[in-house]
Amino acid sequence: MADFMKRWSEYITKKALWYEKIPNDIKHSPKFHEETATRINEVIQKILSEPPSEEQIVTIQKMQEEHNTRYGYDCKAEAAFVEAELNKRYKS
């Protein structure tokens, strides 16, 4: 989580074009940080609640059967990670 927050902070302050348009007094406002945190939490919740696609499920199940693995995944993002890991491990 600490690594995630560090990367998110770097993204906002160095890569997000909208951040430089915000006046400094607003950037230092606790309300701004609360609203930003709320929005981040909403986006994370949305990402973590989207179910894996049928294609992801089929692909992962096939690879797991072939390699006798049992990686769990509950959302589309986790499925993408598991699929990438399986591909990396077994297609190299």
Side-chain angles (χ1 to χ4, degrees), residues 46-61 64 71-83:
K46 181 180 177 185
I47 290 169
L48 296 179
S49 64
E50 186 175 3
S53 70
E54 288 297 319
E55 183 179 323
Q56 286 176 310
I57 293 169
V58 168
T59 301
I60 291 169
Q61 284 179 338
Q64 295 213 84
Y71 296 110
Y73 53 95
D74 294 320
C75 67
K76 193 171 195 168
E78 286 179 324
F81 175 78
V82 168
E83 188 174 1

Side-chain angles (χ1 to χ4, degrees), residues 2-16:
D3 186 49
F4 173 79
M5 292 306 295
K6 180 182 174 190
R7 288 179 187 228
W8 187 257
S9 177
E10 287 174 1
Y11 167 77
I12 290 173
T13 58
K14 296 178 181 168
K15 296 181 182 175

